[in-house]
Amino acid sequence: MQEDTKVKQKKRRKKKSKFGYYLYAVTVLLLTIINITLAALLLTQVQAIDVSGTKNSQESEIVAWIEEDPLTINSLYTLWKFKFGHYTLPVYLEDVDVSLGAPWRVNVKVQEKKMLGCILMDHSYVYFDAEGLVLKKGSEYDAEIPLIEGLTVKEAELFEYLDVKNQKVFSYIVNVTEEMKEADLNPDRLVWEDDSMNLYFEHVCVRLGKTNFAEKILQLPPILKELEGKRGTLHLEHYTKDTSSISFEKSDEES
């Protein structure tokens, strides 16, 4: 009997010893995981957001947009969100690419929507894209963006669509402006007048009419080179691929 009791006691001590070892191992493992997690959270806490690619928008606007989600305080979450998650771009952006410069530094490269043209309205230049979305308003004129005249606009609010009186005229402007970019042409002004789209290059007015813009603009580079220093009107209103001659009407000064 005594021997049986001793054996049982020995087994109980052995079980208690194993339980204590397992408990110790689990505790150490949990503490290790917690420490690693805390270290990772501290290391990936966003300390800086670097924005590139902005021209018309402000870097502070992009940062504020990123930080609208409180979870973007963590760089890994921010990276995951903009690589695989769902988000809504600001209306003035076309695309965004997010990467990590360091575990605590987020790099944001943006692609802004392209400005198609601008109009002068209430002493302010209003810049808009091909859909008529107002991307910028200001007192300074950007010579790289075509200045458009003759387009009647009732209202033009920032990041809203132009309230255009004649959508057909606006479609002509979009078409002509895009074709000019393809031909690498930069007129001083683009004017809708006398039922025609007209381009002004220094002292030469090019009348395009309101049809076949691509075909007509394709002819312009060599012709404009020949007309350097001249004054007058180049008539392309009725030009087609079968046209054998193009009329250039000299101004009174040139005559």
Side-chain angles (χ1 to χ4, degrees):
M1 290 290 295
Q2 288 182 349
E3 288 183 6
D4 291 340
T5 302
K6 288 180 180 179
V7 170
K8 289 179 180 179
Q9 289 176 345
K10 189 175 181 180
K11 286 182 178 180
R12 281 197 295 268
R13 284 196 298 268
K14 193 173 183 180
K15 287 182 180 179
K16 186 180 289 187
S17 176
K18 284 184 177 181
F19 175 77
Y21 171 77
Y22 290 141
L23 180 63
Y24 173 77
V26 170
T27 302
V28 170
L29 179 61
L30 288 174
L31 289 174
T32 301
I33 292 172
I34 291 172
N35 287 333
I36 291 174
T37 303
L38 289 174
L41 289 174
L42 289 173
L43 190 62
T44 57
Q45 184 174 356
V46 175
Q47 298 179 22
I49 298 178
D50 298 326
V51 179
S52 63
T54 57
K55 182 179 179 182
N56 306 310
S57 55
Q58 302 293 321
E59 292 184 11
S60 57
E61 294 175 341
I62 308 299
V63 172
W65 167 62
I66 296 287
E67 292 178 341
E68 283 179 358
D69 183 347
L71 295 179
T72 54
I73 193 172
N74 181 272
S75 62
L76 293 180
Y77 169 80
T78 305
L79 182 65
W80 174 86
K81 175 181 178 177
F82 288 97
K83 292 293 185 184
F84 309 107
H86 297 283
Y87 56 90
T88 302
L89 282 170
V91 292
Y92 50 85
L93 293 185
E94 192 72 43
D95 194 16
V96 63
D97 180 61
V98 173
S99 60
L100 299 184
W104 56 86
R105 182 178 293 273
V106 175
N107 295 329
V108 181
K109 185 177 181 180
V110 301
Q111 181 182 336
E112 297 176 328
K113 289 185 176 178
K114 295 180 180 179
M115 293 189 294
L116 180 90
C118 82
I119 58 173
L120 183 59
M121 187 176 182
D122 298 328
H123 308 291
S124 179
Y125 290 101
V126 179
Y127 297 86
F128 53 89
D129 69 0
E131 296 180 347
L133 180 69
V134 178
L135 300 175
K136 181 182 175 182
K137 294 178 71 174
S139 58
E140 295 183 1
Y141 172 60
D142 184 346
E144 295 182 0
I145 308 299
L147 179 61
I148 295 165
E149 300 174 20
L151 178 67
T152 304
V153 177
K154 300 176 183 178
E155 201 170 346
E157 297 296 330
L158 189 63
F159 302 142
E160 294 185 11
Y161 291 94
L162 292 172
D163 187 358
V164 178
K165 185 177 180 180
N166 192 328
Q167 284 293 335
K168 193 66 176 177
V169 173
F170 183 76
S171 69
Y172 294 156
I173 290 170
V174 171
N175 194 340
V176 169
T177 305
E178 290 178 342
E179 292 298 336
M180 285 193 302
K181 286 183 179 179
E182 287 292 323
D184 198 24
L185 292 173
N186 188 24
D188 302 318
R189 294 182 296 146
L190 190 155
V191 184
W192 171 258
E193 59 184 352
D194 301 329
D195 207 33
S196 170
M197 289 305 310
N198 301 327
L199 309 179
Y200 286 83
F201 297 88
E202 293 186 351
H203 304 296
V204 174
C205 170
V206 180
R207 291 181 58 81
L208 298 175
K210 51 185 179 181
T211 58
N212 302 324
F213 296 127
E215 204 170 274
K216 296 169 182 177
I217 290 173
L218 191 62
Q219 312 304 316
L220 282 180
I223 296 175
L224 291 173
K225 192 172 182 180
E226 291 294 325
L227 294 178
E228 282 184 8
K230 297 185 181 295
R231 297 171 181 265
T233 302
L234 181 67
H235 291 278
L236 292 175
E237 301 99 312
H238 308 295
Y239 174 86
T240 68
K241 61 181 180 180
D242 298 321
T243 300
S244 57
S245 63
I246 296 174
S247 170
F248 178 67
E249 180 185 352
K250 294 181 180 180
S251 66
D252 293 337
E253 286 186 43
E254 183 67 19
S255 298

